[in-house]
Amino acid sequence: ETGVTQTPRHLVMGMTNKKSLKCEQHLGHNAMYWYKQSAKKPLELMFVYSLEERVENNSVPSRFSPECPNSSHLFLHLHTLQPEDSALYLCASSPGNSYEQYFGPGTRLTVT
Amino acid sequence: QKEVEQDPGPLSVPEGAIVSLNCTYSNSAFQYFMWYRQYSRKGPELLMYTYSSGNKEDGRFTAQVDKSSKYISLFIRDSQPSDSATYLCAMTPYSGAGSYQLTFGKGTKLSVIP
């Protein structure tokens, strides 16, 4: 079991709903990430939070809103999503900004 | 042209076979290369890391980088059913604090048949 947990593991939501994904890391890391993993596409980095910086991928729509209240917790707030947003959303953490990232199991999101 | 190309498979081999997984890339600035392994219903986990050209061995796994050809490989010797997973290559031009900026391949799904 990794030190990164994500809840819920599965989520089905309508296009008008508002929901949030939660990530928690127990590794003492100080950088956290949100990724989107779609079928037949490479992992896409959405957001980065660290002591050094907050980074947003400019291609991510504003219907995705991250929140990082402290170095152990990360949220992804979702509203008015589209069916093409259906994907596996992965959270990761690392000791400082680094390629050495530890991933959670992901939240499988289905937008109907 | 995509930055990183990786054959998605699926690749099916018998137990004990040598497996070769590959990625090609177009950005000559990439200097640091990784392989992540992702089991079904799990997140990716870092398997191997190499810098620049050359080979790196870790048990049954060997990572190889040929920067002149813009080609990286992961070899698995004596493959086991427990190696069945999706293997993702990743790379970055940056070291240190910038190295989180990874470009991933799509992943190759491997099945090792007992």
Side-chain angles (χ1 to χ4, degrees):
Chain A
E1 183 67 37
T2 68
V4 180
T5 57
Q6 291 187 242
T7 53
R9 293 293 306 273
H10 300 272
L11 178 63
V12 179
M13 59 186 289
M15 293 168 61
T16 58
N17 290 160
K18 289 185 180 181
K19 295 286 185 183
S20 296
L21 310 184
K22 180 182 176 181
C23 175
E24 185 172 0
Q25 61 95 0
H26 311 273
L27 300 170
H29 292 164
N30 54 18
M32 298 187 76
Y33 312 81
W34 279 117
Y35 283 90
K36 177 182 180 182
Q37 188 172 38
S38 304
K40 303 190 190 314
K41 290 186 178 180
L43 272 175
E44 176 188 357
L45 179 63
M46 301 175 72
F47 302 102
V48 181
Y49 275 88
S50 71
L51 294 178
E52 289 87 4
E53 59 187 335
R54 166 184 159 163
V55 177
E56 298 189 15
N57 182 338
N58 291 331
S59 67
V60 175
S62 59
R63 55 186 182 267
F64 294 90
S65 175
E67 179 190 359
C68 189
N70 54 60
S71 61
S72 299
H73 295 85
L74 186 64
F75 296 88
L76 188 63
H77 303 300
L78 317 171
H79 67 96
T80 58
L81 294 191
Q82 304 298 310
E84 61 264 28
D85 297 321
S86 298
L88 182 68
Y89 288 84
L90 291 160
C91 173
S93 70
S94 65
N97 291 6
S98 169
Y99 67 87
E100 189 179 353
Q101 297 172 21
Y102 294 76
F103 286 82
T107 295
R108 175 67 63 186
L109 174 67
T110 302
V111 181
T112 60
Chain B
Q1 181 184 9
K2 295 184 177 63
E3 276 204 290
V4 178
E5 299 271 9
Q6 184 176 13
D7 187 339
L11 179 63
S12 185
V13 302
E15 183 175 354
I18 296 175
V19 176
S20 173
L21 304 168
N22 312 293
C23 289
T24 59
Y25 62 94
S26 58
N27 186 350
S28 57
F30 288 137
Q31 297 278 350
Y32 305 89
F33 304 91
M34 302 100 210
W35 287 94
Y36 282 80
R37 177 175 61 194
Q38 185 174 17
Y39 290 115
S40 180
R41 290 183 292 278
K42 300 281 189 181
E45 58 178 332
L46 182 64
L47 190 61
M48 298 281 287
Y49 162 79
T50 52
Y51 166 64
S52 195
S53 286
N55 292 0
K56 183 175 184 178
E57 190 173 319
D58 184 0
R60 296 184 295 109
F61 298 88
T62 299
Q64 190 173 81
V65 174
D66 182 349
K67 290 192 67 183
S68 62
S69 302
K70 298 190 180 68
Y71 188 88
I72 68 170
S73 301
L74 179 69
F75 298 97
I76 307 174
R77 291 184 299 279
D78 187 25
S79 56
Q80 302 296 308
S82 59
D83 296 326
S84 298
T86 297
Y87 290 80
L88 308 170
C89 65
M91 49 198 79
T92 177
Y94 307 110
S95 62
S99 65
Y100 73 89
Q101 300 178 61
L102 299 173
T103 301
F104 285 87
K106 294 180 181 180
T108 299
K109 185 172 184 179
L110 171 68
S111 294
V112 181
I113 311 302

